[in-house]
């Protein structure tokens, strides 16, 4: 058994063959150059973790994966590889917080996912996780936030950070988070530059007003 991808490739080259499980782009390049490529179809629905780790690292660099796709891939390393979030981060060259944020997406409430993520209105992992945590503290408020996001076609990450900050601050005081936020009299702020992918969010600030 060859311990690294480089070792396996060297052995294949010595035999006059190269088996590359990763790429359509490489296949297309060979096709353009007129090279003959032997295609072997693996009928397994899921890739081995070793192959997945290399492909995942490459796709992260190219930002080719949707947040939920990345979250589900990371979960396989936890469930099948018994790896900690720190180990996964080291393998991918990412901080532990990066892994934690994406894995938390798998705990996203169905309503938030269906109304915001699945529709493409909000895809930013931090924004979604802020809403997930806020939902545990004030689900009715999050319902209103989802409706507002649908009406205005977007949601600001900065807003969700502020709402969650206030909610955590008053969670043991018997005060509804939304009421506490309104009581603070938050003044409108300059909207944060959008960090979501183009077309999948909004940089508008939606500071809540009493009705």
């Amino acid at each position: 058994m060859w311990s690294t991808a480089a070792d396996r490739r060297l052995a294949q080259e010595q035999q006059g063959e190269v088996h590359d499980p990763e790429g359509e782009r490489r296949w297309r390049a060979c096709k353009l150059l007129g090279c003959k490529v032997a295609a072997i179809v693996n009928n397994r629905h899921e890739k081995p973790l070793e192959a997945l780790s290399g492909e995942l690292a490459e796709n992260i660099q190219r930002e080719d994966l949707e947040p939920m796709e990345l979250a589900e891939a990371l979960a396989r390393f936890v469930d099948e590889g018994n790896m900690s979030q720190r180990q996964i981060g080291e393998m991918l060259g990412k901080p532990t917080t990066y892994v934690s944020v994406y894995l938390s997406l798998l705990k996203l409430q169905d309503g938030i996912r269906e109304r915001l993520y699945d529709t493409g209105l909000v895809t930013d992992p931090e924004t979604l996780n802020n809403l997930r945590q806020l939902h545990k503290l004030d689900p009715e408020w999050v319902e209103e936030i989802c409706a507002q996001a649908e009406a205005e076609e977007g949601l600001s990450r900065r807003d969700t950070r502020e709402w969650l900050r206030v909610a955590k601050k008053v969670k043991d005081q018997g005060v509804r988070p939304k009421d506490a936020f309104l009581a603070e009299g938050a003044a409108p702020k300059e909207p944060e530059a959008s960090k979501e992918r183009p077309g999948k969010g909004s940089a508008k600030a939606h500071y809540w007003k009493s009705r």
Side-chain angles (χ1 to χ4, degrees):
M1 179 177 291
W2 300 94
S3 60
T4 68
D7 290 336
R8 289 194 299 274
R9 180 176 291 275
L10 177 60
Q12 292 163 1
E13 289 176 348
Q14 290 173 347
Q15 298 172 15
E17 300 177 347
V18 174
H19 298 260
D20 195 334
E22 298 194 324
E24 180 181 354
R25 292 181 305 151
R26 297 175 180 85
W27 172 77
R28 291 186 183 280
C30 289
K31 188 175 181 181
L32 288 172
L33 292 172
C35 301
K36 292 184 178 181
V37 179
I40 300 175
V41 178
N42 182 350
N43 289 322
R44 290 186 58 182
H45 293 296
E46 294 185 337
K47 298 182 179 181
L49 288 181
E50 182 181 3
L52 179 62
S53 64
E55 183 175 307
L56 190 59
E58 182 178 352
N59 285 335
I60 288 174
Q61 293 300 322
R62 299 204 312 265
E63 298 185 351
D64 277 358
L65 293 177
E66 294 295 331
M68 285 296 179
E69 292 177 328
L70 178 52
E72 290 166 356
L74 294 176
R76 284 193 60 195
F77 291 105
V78 176
D79 298 336
E80 300 176 29
N82 294 317
M83 297 176 67
S84 68
Q85 294 183 13
R86 180 184 59 80
Q87 290 173 322
I88 296 172
E90 291 176 349
M91 176 185 69
L92 298 175
K94 294 289 185 179
T96 303
T97 52
Y98 175 92
V99 178
S100 176
V101 166
Y102 277 93
L103 286 176
S104 294
L105 289 179
L106 299 178
K107 303 174 185 177
L108 194 64
Q109 293 86 352
D110 290 341
I112 298 175
R113 176 165 181 167
E114 292 169 2
R115 297 177 69 177
L116 301 185
Y117 179 80
D118 289 347
T119 59
L121 285 177
V122 179
T123 57
D124 177 63
E126 182 185 340
T127 302
L128 291 167
N129 272 311
N130 289 342
L131 291 176
R132 176 184 64 81
Q133 296 177 71
L134 184 60
H135 188 278
K136 295 180 180 180
L137 302 172
D138 195 337
E140 293 181 0
W141 191 14
V142 172
E143 287 294 317
E144 297 176 25
I145 291 171
C146 288
Q148 186 82 2
E150 289 169 333
E152 300 189 8
E153 299 185 351
L155 192 63
S156 162
R157 181 190 298 175
R158 177 183 295 176
D159 284 353
T160 62
R161 286 175 180 168
E162 185 67 10
W163 297 332
L164 185 60
R165 179 191 67 79
V166 173
K168 288 181 175 181
K169 179 180 177 181
V170 302
K171 69 176 182 178
D172 297 322
Q173 299 178 17
V175 179
R176 186 185 176 196
K178 178 184 176 182
D179 293 339
F181 176 77
L182 295 174
E184 281 195 359
K189 302 175 183 178
E190 289 298 318
E192 176 187 42
S194 176
K195 295 183 180 179
E196 298 191 5
R197 297 184 185 180
K200 295 206 172 183
S202 170
K204 296 178 182 177
H206 305 141
Y207 283 88
W208 235 250
K209 299 178 181 178
S210 58
R211 297 178 180 177

